[in-house]
Amino acid sequence: MTDSVTAGAIARPRLMERYRRFLPITEATPALTLGEGSTPLVHAGRLGTTIGAPNLYLKVEGQNPTGSFKDRGMVVAVAKAVEAGARAVVCASTGNTSASAAAYGAHAGLEVIVILPKGHIALGKLVAALIAGARVVAIDGNFDQALHIVRGLAEQDDHPVTLVNSVNPFRLEGQKTAAFEICDDLGRAPDVLAIPVGNAGNISAYWAGFREYADAGHATSTPAMWGFQAAGAAPLVLGRRVERPETIATAIRIGDPASWDKAVAARDESGGRIEAVTDDEILAAYRDLAQIEGVFCEPASAASVAGIRKMAGAGRLDPDATVVAVLTGHGLKDPGTAERQASGVLEAGPTLGAVAVALGWS
Ligand code: F0G
């Protein structure tokens, strides 16, 4: 662990310092940072106009240190674990939580154990956990079963480990800072906040953040929270658990969200909605984000924009609304899906003529 401040960390303020007054930080909390938070809010005017939401902004969370929003919560959860004397942390994950836990655990000198659903973790997430030295166990089961197992591991007295899934309240405390940043950057709260929903921690954290910021007088309104699940993994839309969740968006391949009640409260208290989008709708938004806006996110993240397109198409979005879509993770996390969705490489001999032919110029 280090207290040193790099030049980058000065330009990009430490998350725990920037919003210290809203976080459970004490004198004894270590000043952990890998440079998380303060991510860009990008106006997506071209894509927004084509989908009926010209005031569309993207909160690009893939620009966090390990490439996802998880770092906001992980920095707080790991710092609090260190403060409490922990030596090891454990999590279940669809990939991003494990990459984040592995990195922050390594930085803080903790042992990291992660339990994953075998065969359903995007390559960039798996290798990030492994190279950071986490002990990775892949189970023949899904995320919901992995979460059940890690809850059990965290209760074993002979091997003390701190659970750093979003059921750890410090995770949601850290994640709510993204709502503060959006209000700070826009100068107001958006009218609609669109967000992918898996284990349902993030939508809950954002709602807490928007409410706290308004209560503190930093915003005069709160947004309607619009959550989007993949159609094959949409327990909150169906109102019942999904035993065998399936979607190309592996990050949100979850059938029994831990923060179910909080997400429903966020939806209802904000006057929002939680809807499903199909894998085809997710992939169309994923390609359009890259090709029309130059923003490369992972498939699960594109569920937020797919949802906005769907709602606008159904006449349920006021075209004057200021909409923020949260892009939760970086596209490089999942190179396999990108390769399958992109057009292929053109090949040519090493001459001007051959390249011109390949380009269709002659
Ligand atoms: N988007 C991405 C890229 C995610 O990795 C996740 C969750 C979500 C959205 C959904 O957020 O669970 O708070 O509703 N990933 C977890 C993980 C489950 O293990 O990395 P949520």
Side-chain angles (χ1 to χ4, degrees), residues 269-362:
E269 291 168 20
S270 73
R273 58 174 82 243
I274 299 180
E275 309 267 354
V277 284
T278 66
D279 280 4
D280 284 347
E281 289 166 338
I282 289 171
L283 290 172
Y286 168 77
R287 289 188 305 264
D288 287 348
L289 278 160
Q291 293 170 13
I292 302 177
E293 293 296 342
V295 178
F296 184 27
C297 65
E298 64 172 287
S301 306
S304 59
V305 171
I308 290 298
R309 166 143 55 195
K310 191 167 195 164
M311 291 303 116
R316 297 204 203 134
L317 178 71
D318 176 351
D320 291 331
T322 296
V323 180
V324 172
V326 183
L327 300 186
T328 44
H330 201 288
L332 288 173
K333 294 268 186 176
D334 188 352
T337 300
E339 191 176 33
R340 284 187 291 276
Q341 291 298 311
S343 53
V345 175
L346 304 173
E347 294 193 7
T351 64
L352 175 60
V355 170
V357 169
L359 290 172
W361 288 10
S362 61

Side-chain angles (χ1 to χ4, degrees), residues 69-70 93-97 196-202 251-252 254 298 328-329:
F69 72 96
K70 305 288 179 178
S93 184
T94 57
N96 281 322
T97 298
V197 175
N199 211 23
N202 211 24
I252 52 173
I254 293 174
E298 64 172 287
T328 44

